[in-house]
Amino acid sequence: MSSVFHIKKRYILPLVFFSLYLLNVLATKAQISLGNTSIVRVGDVGEFLLLILTSLTFVVAMLSAEKEANNRSAQ
């Protein structure tokens, strides 16, 4: 491991979805704080979809990690 933050490939997709959600929340908060009336955001449905995709991909990644750990312990 050459990097301090070694992220397995299975966790990249959940991280991307969560990062998009977080960026949307921060951008909306910044626009509201600055008093801008033209708020650029994905909307309620978009936020919901980002959170669902984050949860689902994270669960799949964790199940994959558990399966890999079980296979290693069985050998």
Side-chain angles (χ1 to χ4, degrees):
M1 282 188 247
S2 62
S3 168
V4 174
F5 297 106
H6 178 73
I7 298 176
K8 293 199 179 247
K9 288 182 183 179
R10 69 173 68 102
Y11 299 116
I12 292 175
L13 197 55
L15 183 62
V16 167
F17 285 136
F18 183 72
S19 297
L20 289 173
Y21 172 76
L22 185 63
L23 286 173
N24 178 60
V25 169
L26 293 175
T28 303
K29 178 64 177 169
Q31 288 179 347
I32 290 172
S33 297
L34 296 174
N36 289 347
T37 57
S38 61
I39 296 176
V40 178
R41 53 181 296 201
V42 296
D44 293 337
V45 174
E47 286 181 359
F48 172 74
L49 290 175
L50 281 173
L51 286 175
I52 287 293
L53 287 171
T54 300
S55 299
L56 290 175
T57 55
F58 184 72
V59 167
V60 169
M62 292 306 295
L63 289 173
S64 172
E66 183 177 350
K67 182 178 178 182
E68 184 180 312
N70 286 340
N71 287 341
R72 276 188 279 160
S73 67
Q75 291 177 352

